[in-house]
Amino acid sequence: GAVVSQHPSRVICKSGTSVKIECRSLDFQATTMFWYRQFPKKSLMLMATSNEGSKATYEQGVEKDKFLINHASLTLSTLTVTSAHPEDSSFYICSAREVGYYSNQPQHFGDGTRLSIL
Amino acid sequence: AQKITQTQPGMFVQEKEAVTLDCTYDTSDPSYGLFWYKQPSSGEMIFLIYQGSYDQQNATEGRYSLNFQKARKSANLVISASQLGDSAMYFCAMRELFYGGATNKLIFGTGTLLAVQP
């Protein structure tokens, strides 16, 4: 089955540092990848949609300069949390959709990244 | 705009019994897909079942079935013969479908935490 690998699974770092999270589709090509943020015991909130070779589309209220998304190839999208602060601490999870996508196919999710900013 | 509502923040069920998790949705698009995902405490999102708006029959996948009532805009998940491993967060999600569109977003409900008791 389709596998999405997300790395790292857990990050703890100091306030002010930038953190890069990678999302890779291992056995399929993904024209579109989605980045979600999830607070404890809450739902997944879509942050942005990234399309290979073009700029990401951000949801309302998501700071583009804070959360940089790059989708340089059909198998890799990255989310960089720039100058992270404690309020950026959260669970970030990516999802990918295959090329030649059909509407009833589920999105494939990575295992998520727990980001803790001290 | 599409909206997903899960009114049960948490539920208990005895092992081996069936349980129904509620989901209602709102959309103006006549063509849409409904998904259920399971999220264990480890965080990964596990796809369970899909129902298309034009599907004539309710979807079933093993112990999971979807009670789709289109006129009422509800898509409840039924888990039969509950197992201890079913304890997790369950999310209902919807995607509006416009064929050929590149940004069909998957929007999630707030989730229901299911606890299976021995």
Side-chain angles (χ1 to χ4, degrees):
Chain A
V3 177
V4 174
S5 174
Q6 189 171 339
H7 179 80
S9 58
R10 182 182 290 272
V11 179
I12 303 173
C13 58
K14 293 181 179 180
S15 183
T17 58
S18 293
V19 178
K20 179 185 281 189
I21 303 170
E22 291 187 349
C23 181
R24 293 181 184 273
S25 55
L26 296 186
D27 51 1
F28 67 97
Q29 293 185 321
T31 50
T32 305
M33 289 187 174
F34 302 87
W35 287 95
Y36 292 84
R37 181 174 181 175
Q38 186 180 30
F39 291 103
K41 302 188 189 305
K42 298 294 184 183
S43 185
L44 280 74
M45 288 175 37
L46 181 64
M47 298 174 65
T49 302
S50 76
N51 294 296
E52 185 265 337
S54 63
K55 289 184 178 180
T57 302
Y58 289 82
E59 294 299 301
Q60 193 171 12
V62 177
E63 298 176 60
K64 300 178 183 181
D65 296 331
K66 162 67 82 175
F67 300 101
L68 299 179
I69 292 173
N70 183 279
H71 192 159
S73 76
L74 285 172
T75 59
L76 174 64
S77 176
T78 59
L79 167 68
T80 301
V81 184
T82 61
S83 186
H85 289 95
E87 58 266 27
D88 299 322
S89 299
S90 193
F91 186 64
Y92 295 87
I93 189 164
C94 72
S95 176
R97 212 159 65 189
E98 297 182 49
V99 172
Y101 170 78
Y102 293 94
S103 58
N104 62 344
Q105 288 183 345
Q107 286 173 206
H108 309 292
F109 285 84
D111 288 345
T113 298
R114 294 193 187 279
L115 176 62
S116 299
I117 309 298
L118 305 179
Chain B
Q2 58 190 95
K3 185 179 179 182
I4 292 280
T5 302
Q6 294 180 256
T7 58
Q8 306 154 312
M11 290 195 68
F12 288 100
V13 65
Q14 290 294 125
E15 196 177 6
K16 300 181 183 177
E17 291 186 351
V19 62
T20 297
L21 307 183
D22 295 341
C23 173
T24 58
Y25 59 90
D26 190 22
T27 178
S28 56
D29 193 327
S31 181
Y32 50 89
L34 297 156
F35 301 80
W36 277 92
Y37 283 86
K38 172 184 177 181
Q39 187 180 41
S41 56
S42 49
E44 71 270 29
M45 295 291 286
I46 302 169
F47 166 71
L48 297 178
I49 197 167
Y50 166 84
Q51 180 83 44
S53 58
Y54 293 120
D55 292 343
Q56 295 297 313
Q57 295 191 341
N58 287 344
T60 59
E61 288 287 346
R63 293 187 299 110
Y64 304 108
S65 61
L66 204 151
N67 183 2
F68 181 47
Q69 298 186 44
K70 192 171 182 177
R72 298 180 62 183
K73 293 189 175 180
S74 73
N76 299 339
L77 176 70
V78 180
I79 305 175
S80 62
S82 297
Q83 302 172 356
L84 296 178
D86 294 335
S87 295
M89 196 74 167
Y90 288 81
F91 290 99
C92 180
M94 180 174 69
R95 174 189 301 134
E96 291 174 337
L97 311 174
F98 35 98
Y99 296 102
T103 56
N104 311 29
K105 297 183 288 189
L106 191 64
I107 302 301
F108 287 85
T110 50
T112 296
L113 182 60
L114 178 66
V116 181
Q117 296 177 314

